[in-house]
Amino acid sequence: MSGAPLLKGAQGSSPQEASAAGSSIQIRGMHKYFGANHVLRGIDLDIAARERVCVIGPSGSGKSTLLRCINALEDMSAGEVTVGGHAVDRRSGHGVNAMRAAVGMVFQRFNLFPHKTALENVMIGPLVVRKQDAAHARGLALRLLARVGLSDKAQAYPGALSGGQQQRVAIARALAMEPAVLLFDEPTSSLDPELVGEVLAVMKDLARDGMTMVVVTHEMDFAREVADRVVFMDQGQIVEQGPPQRLFGDPREARTRAFLARVLRTPGGAG
Ligand SMILES: Nc1ncnc2c1ncn2[C@@H]1O[C@H](COP(=O)(O)OP(=O)(O)OP(=O)(O)O)[C@@H](O)[C@H]1O
Ligand SMILES: [Mg+2]
């Protein structure tokens, strides 16, 4: 569950101390253009094993693009990504499969297969990608559904589940691939407010278990409570980062202060 192969350099080490070997993800000089739009402008970021990093910033600042470039859903224009010490070569495609096996992603919209039950949605990755036998995949999927509080919904189809329940199935589905790192892109922002808490509770549980997590979120209370480090992005750059107490309590950059003043005044209105 917690990505044993990548657990070197674990808890207690600050991001700065994280050695290359103990670092789950290293990003160097990442740039991304969409046509003439220079969306990521030189991102350098290390995520240590077992670290919980929350990424915040205004709409359009490049947060989703960053996550999508990390796991090669988007092709970055320049730069390097290393996952678990292995470089991902975007030209040759070398390392992409290993990286995808190590890095799970949970999206804002859950992207469940509508014609498959919750159980089948969680089983499909282990069955198809990891070639596990059905009994093993089923056992794992049932354990993960229990973990996200949905044992009684194993046979339900997504259309019969609430948004919060669907997102919990999506988290179980990501966990079924036994990733070393989980990336979350605003996992609660398409949910009705009363359903946000149940998804955040599952994420807090994962964090307590030592899961390495990168969470793009507008939930500042979650970031404050769970993050080891908060990264503030604006206009394709990391403007400022630090422990949540420091970043929220004593932001050093004017852009960070302006953003926080705006989102902390209007709960949920970060975009
Ligand atoms: N597939 C795409 N094609 C062209 N432009 C894109 C694409 N995806 C994102 N962009 C552009 O890249 C910029 C950054 O978008 P991105 O989705 O990464 O921002 P974000 O920080 O995640 O914003 P939000 O908080 O609204 O989700 C925006 O200007 C956006 O229009
Ligand atoms: Mg986004």
Side-chain angles (χ1 to χ4, degrees), residues 21 55 96 113 133 154 167 173 175 205 254 257 259-260 265 270:
V55 180
V96 169
F113 292 110
D133 69 73
Q167 190 60 301
R173 178 183 55 180
L175 291 172
D205 184 54
R257 281 197 294 274
F259 173 78
L260 289 176
R265 200 169 49 231

Side-chain angles (χ1 to χ4, degrees), residues 125-142:
L127 277 180
V128 174
V129 180
R130 307 186 81 198
K131 316 282 188 217
Q132 289 181 356
D133 69 73
H136 188 276
R138 185 184 167 83
L140 174 65
L142 288 170

Side-chain angles (χ1 to χ4, degrees), residues 20-165:
S23 179
S24 254
I25 300 180
Q26 284 187 294
I27 300 164
R28 291 289 175 275
M30 181 187 277
H31 288 261
K32 175 64 181 175
Y33 290 84
F34 287 110
N37 191 2
H38 195 178
V39 169
L40 295 179
R41 299 165 173 254
I43 302 285
D44 297 309
L45 185 64
D46 282 8
I47 312 290
R50 299 176 76 95
E51 197 180 12
R52 279 76 45 120
V53 174
C54 284
V55 180
I56 63 173
S59 182
S61 56
K63 307 180 298 294
S64 296
T65 304
L66 170 63
L67 292 192
R68 294 172 62 80
C69 286
I70 290 174
N71 75 349
L73 285 174
E74 288 290 352
D75 221 359
M76 59 190 169
S77 307
E80 278 177 23
V81 175
T82 304
V83 175
H86 301 286
V88 181
D89 184 342
R90 64 207 157 80
R91 298 262 175 255
S92 67
H94 189 78
V96 169
N97 286 342
M99 179 278 298
R100 290 229 171 98
V103 180
M105 183 134 168
V106 175
F107 301 89
Q108 180 173 354
R109 304 210 167 271
F110 333 116
N111 303 336
L112 298 176
F113 292 110
H115 57 287
K116 291 188 183 299
T117 64
L119 181 67
E120 289 165 346
N121 266 283
V122 180
M123 284 175 68
I124 192 162
L127 277 180
V128 174
V129 180
R130 307 186 81 198
K131 316 282 188 217
Q132 289 181 356
D133 69 73
H136 188 276
R138 185 184 167 83
L140 174 65
L142 288 170
R143 283 198 301 281
L144 290 171
L145 286 172
R147 175 131 199 243
V148 300
L150 291 174
S151 289
D152 55 333
K153 298 294 185 185
Q155 301 306 331
Y157 287 87
L161 298 174
S162 73
Q165 290 169 338

